[in-house]
Amino acid sequence: QKEVEQNSGPLSVPEGAIASLNCTYSDRVSQSFFWYRQYSGKSPELIMSIYSNGDKEDGRFTAQLNKASQYVSLLIRDSQPSDSATYLCAAYTGGGNKLTFGTGTQLKVEL
Amino acid sequence: KAGVTQTPRYLIKTRGQQVTLSCSPISGHRSVSWYQQTPGQGLQFLFEYFSETQRNKGNFPGRFSGRQFSNSRSEMNVSTLELGDSALYLCATSPGTEGNEQFFGPGTRLTVL
């Protein structure tokens, strides 16, 4: 079992719709979770961090964390073509400062 | 605040050679982590340095090594290059406290011929 798992996609949504990206993790000790966006040929860009159960909103982005279910999600409201990218879920695993990434979900926002 | 910088941005080497990549962190960041990204394996953790000491290590062979200087700048070295080492090498920096957000540099694209 991988430490951080994501559906690779692609996930296609129409412009203006809500995109829902999901991630599960196996290390129950993990306390810090992150979502990165990576455009093709570029490096990952941090868009959200979440540390407590519940929702955290930042503009069009909402991160959700459920530690009991070991589940993290990212909602993108009013999706735009510029949101088309690969979204990487990450968590600190195994104690210490090792950040483990999922394989990423490719999102395509269609006109 | 200046972001994370990495040099060089692109490198072409041949098998058997060695390479050194450099990462300069955001001012005040003391932790530098290195990652390898390939299409097949995704983002893989190489190692993390904090206060000039390797604090965490991933599952890579000893050909991959690194170090950190007193100004928090870090270098990684790959010796005896193999074709499979072709990848995007990324560094990410953070203040160093466990759980901190990490910010990536632009990466070094290494091609091994």
Side-chain angles (χ1 to χ4, degrees):
Chain A
Q1 183 186 10
K2 292 185 179 179
E3 292 180 286
V4 178
E5 295 206 55
Q6 297 179 253
N7 188 320
S8 61
L11 172 66
S12 293
V13 299
E15 184 179 5
I18 295 175
S20 177
L21 304 162
N22 305 314
C23 170
T24 59
Y25 61 95
S26 61
D27 188 348
R28 286 194 169 275
V29 177
S30 296
Q31 296 292 322
S32 309
F33 305 88
F34 308 91
W35 284 99
Y36 288 82
R37 176 176 62 197
Q38 187 173 25
Y39 293 112
S40 180
K42 301 293 186 183
S43 63
E45 172 193 9
L46 178 68
I47 53 173
M48 289 288 285
S49 57
I50 186 165
Y51 304 94
S52 304
N53 276 330
D55 296 358
K56 178 182 177 184
E57 187 175 318
D58 183 1
R60 296 186 297 112
F61 299 98
T62 299
Q64 299 173 317
L65 174 59
N66 183 324
K67 290 184 180 179
S69 300
Q70 296 177 241
Y71 177 90
V72 191
S73 66
L74 179 70
L75 301 178
I76 306 174
R77 290 181 299 281
D78 189 24
S79 294
Q80 302 296 309
S82 58
D83 295 326
S84 297
T86 296
Y87 289 80
L88 299 161
C89 173
Y92 281 106
T93 62
N97 225 38
K98 175 190 170 187
L99 195 57
T100 299
F101 285 82
T103 53
T105 298
Q106 185 183 6
L107 173 66
K108 294 184 177 181
V109 181
E110 298 166 335
L111 295 170
Chain B
K1 219 179 207 183
V4 180
T5 58
Q6 289 187 248
T7 57
R9 293 292 311 279
Y10 301 92
L11 265 179
I12 298 175
K13 294 286 187 180
T14 57
R15 280 179 297 175
Q17 287 187 309
Q18 74 166 18
V19 66
T20 299
L21 313 181
S22 179
C23 174
S24 292
I26 294 169
S27 177
H29 284 193
R30 297 169 63 194
S31 168
V32 177
S33 296
W34 288 91
Y35 299 87
Q36 180 196 65
Q37 188 174 36
T38 59
Q41 297 297 318
L43 259 173
Q44 301 286 309
F45 173 78
L46 281 156
F47 30 67
E48 184 236 356
Y49 285 86
F50 178 79
S51 291
E52 302 179 64
T53 300
Q54 187 180 88
R55 191 162 64 170
N56 291 279
K57 189 177 188 306
N59 297 322
F60 278 81
R63 300 186 297 107
F64 293 82
S65 62
R67 58 178 175 169
Q68 187 179 35
F69 302 94
S70 59
N71 62 356
S72 295
R73 188 177 71 86
S74 176
E75 290 181 347
M76 69 163 281
N77 184 277
V78 188
S79 62
T80 318
L81 284 166
E82 301 176 359
L83 294 179
D85 296 333
S86 294
L88 180 65
Y89 289 89
L90 294 155
C91 76
T93 78
S94 75
T97 305
E98 189 172 323
N100 281 165
E101 297 171 335
Q102 292 190 13
F103 298 90
F104 282 88
T108 295
R109 171 75 62 185
L110 172 65
T111 301
V112 182
L113 303 175

